[in-house]
Amino acid sequence: LIKSTEQPILREHFYEKLNGILREFPRRSNIFLCGDWNAKIGKRSDDDAYTCLGRWSRGTRNENGEWFLQFCEENDLIITNSLFQHSARHITTWEGSYKQPGESEKKKVFNQIDYIAVKSSMSRTLKNSRTFSGTELFSDHRLLITEICNPLNILRTQNNNKEREVMRRTLLVEDQAKRKEYQKQLNDNLTINDPKDLVEFNKTVLETAKSVLGVNITNKQSQNYIDDDEIKELSEKQKQIRQLLINTNNQNDIEVLKRKRNDLLHNLRKLHHQKLRDRIVNEVKEIENAPDSIKMFKAIKNT
């Protein structure tokens, strides 16, 4: 990217074009923005309101840095190489030199102008982010690496959260009237459509079942998932404290926030285990009280 003092209109067009590209990606996409932004985001101050910026950056912010921070904030991105504590040499991404008028020796300059930004939803997958100065590169920039957890696990999580249709098949066992209605409509549809092959036959059966039994739109959740307002409230509180930890520089405040978050996580795990035990007990009672004809069906459904 061009310097702050040169061609501001070109810089504005650059970010407009980049915003347009990002909007073309699906909302749940994992996005990695990497490169030399020629932007000094500077060390975070207590007055900073940017949630995209962590505590461990360096330097003095310039105009390009302000543009980059605003861009990340608007697109829900976080700057990975500002989130982890490292020595200055592992935060620096560029090394140069300059000579002042009247001086014979050049002075070295160290800046942080290269960044890797990702979606804030990926923050839990980040393991580390730092530069390496000992690599043999034909560049005045240092190698910047961000480590993440197994990306396959991220993809599985995204796929599991997709909405899906769940057929209300239990009605065929529990509701005799629905069962007779389904049988009558299926016979009528098979007579009318006269399927020529197995594909058409299966399609007719499925459409009939949806029409008679109906479907529920749901998200695929873990068997251990508990939909409880109290658990959601505690979870939201610990997320808020985690965000405060990222944005706080004061060491005393950090220790206090860590203790608060640890207490919340302990209570959250304890409450989750209790709710899970209660749910299992209720499911067992439901199976025991069910008629013999559907007891096995309910037991298999709840496993």
Side-chain angles (χ1 to χ4, degrees):
L1 190 63
I2 43 84
K3 293 182 179 179
S4 306
T5 55
E6 297 177 3
Q7 303 181 18
I9 296 178
L10 183 60
R11 178 182 57 199
E12 185 175 348
H13 288 168
F14 167 79
Y15 277 109
E16 286 179 357
K17 186 175 181 180
L18 190 56
N19 272 314
I21 293 173
L22 288 183
R23 283 193 290 269
E24 294 178 2
F25 286 90
R27 187 171 59 87
R28 291 183 176 274
S29 297
N30 293 326
I31 294 175
F32 297 84
L33 283 178
C34 321
D36 172 12
W37 299 85
N38 203 14
K40 300 179 186 178
I41 59 176
K43 190 171 180 61
R44 185 182 187 87
S45 67
D46 294 333
D47 299 330
D48 265 327
Y50 291 113
T51 58
C52 61
L53 178 61
R55 299 197 307 270
W56 312 109
S57 50
R58 65 169 299 173
T60 303
R61 190 171 303 165
N62 64 5
E63 193 175 341
N64 265 7
E66 196 69 45
W67 273 77
F68 180 62
L69 288 169
Q70 291 177 9
F71 166 78
C72 291
E73 198 77 8
E74 292 169 1
N75 289 280
D76 194 27
L77 300 169
I78 52 176
I79 304 169
T80 62
N81 50 318
S82 71
L83 301 176
F84 298 91
Q85 183 177 11
H86 290 291
S87 60
R89 66 179 179 273
H90 293 147
I91 297 176
T92 297
T93 66
W94 176 84
E95 179 181 347
S97 61
Y98 73 99
K99 184 189 295 185
Q100 289 185 340
E103 294 185 358
S104 58
E105 295 184 359
K106 290 184 178 181
K107 291 186 177 180
K108 286 192 174 182
V109 182
F110 302 92
N111 278 323
Q112 184 184 28
I113 58 175
D114 304 82
Y115 306 101
I116 297 177
V118 301
K119 281 288 187 181
S120 62
S121 57
M122 291 186 62
S123 60
R124 63 187 177 88
T125 69
L126 301 175
K127 297 172 64 177
N128 195 16
S129 185
R130 53 161 287 188
T131 59
F132 293 84
S133 57
T135 53
E136 295 182 1
L137 299 174
F138 297 100
S139 173
D140 49 3
H141 294 262
R142 297 182 180 181
L143 179 64
L144 173 60
I145 292 178
T146 293
E147 298 178 44
I148 63 172
C149 299
N150 185 356
L152 293 178
N153 291 336
I154 304 171
L155 294 175
R156 291 191 195 103
T157 301
Q158 290 183 347
N159 290 333
N160 286 343
N161 288 334
K162 288 183 177 178
E163 289 186 346
R164 60 172 184 159
E165 293 182 345
V166 179
M167 192 84 68
R168 300 170 63 191
R169 294 170 299 201
T170 55
L171 292 178
L172 289 175
V173 180
E174 298 172 351
D175 192 329
Q176 186 175 1
K178 279 290 183 184
R179 184 165 63 250
K180 289 183 177 180
E181 181 186 353
Y182 168 72
Q183 290 172 342
K184 181 180 182 306
Q185 188 165 331
L186 180 60
N187 288 332
D188 293 343
N189 289 343
L190 289 175
T191 302
I192 295 172
N193 296 333
D194 189 22
K196 305 300 182 184
D197 53 34
L198 186 59
V199 175
E200 290 187 11
F201 177 82
N202 289 338
K203 184 179 179 181
T204 302
V205 172
L206 183 60
E207 289 177 350
T208 304
K210 284 185 178 181
S211 174
V212 176
L213 304 177
V215 295
N216 292 327
I217 305 298
T218 182
N219 287 332
K220 185 176 180 182
Q221 300 285 2
S222 166
Q223 289 183 344
N224 293 334
Y225 175 76
I226 302 292
D227 187 9
D228 180 81
D229 291 338
E230 191 176 358
I231 289 178
K232 289 179 180 178
E233 183 180 353
L234 289 176
S235 179
E236 188 61 33
K237 284 182 179 179
Q238 71 87 13
K239 288 178 181 178
Q240 292 173 359
I241 294 178
R242 184 177 183 275
Q243 191 61 50
L244 289 174
L245 277 169
I246 294 175
N247 299 331
T248 302
N249 289 323
N250 187 287
Q251 193 61 38
N252 292 332
D253 291 344
I254 291 173
E255 294 300 324
V256 172
L257 289 171
K258 280 183 177 179
R259 285 195 294 269
K260 285 185 179 180
R261 185 167 183 264
N262 287 337
D263 290 340
L264 273 175
L265 289 173
H266 173 75
N267 293 333
L268 186 59
R269 284 191 292 267
K270 186 177 179 181
L271 179 62
H272 181 269
H273 291 157
Q274 181 61 47
K275 297 284 185 181
L276 188 60
R277 283 196 295 269
D278 292 344
R279 189 181 73 179
I280 293 173
V281 169
N282 291 333
E283 289 175 352
V284 171
K285 289 181 179 179
E286 184 182 353
I287 293 171
E288 290 177 346
N289 296 330
D292 292 338
S293 59
I294 62 174
K295 187 172 289 187
M296 180 177 293
F297 182 85
K298 281 185 173 293
I300 295 173
K301 178 180 175 235
N302 290 333
T303 56

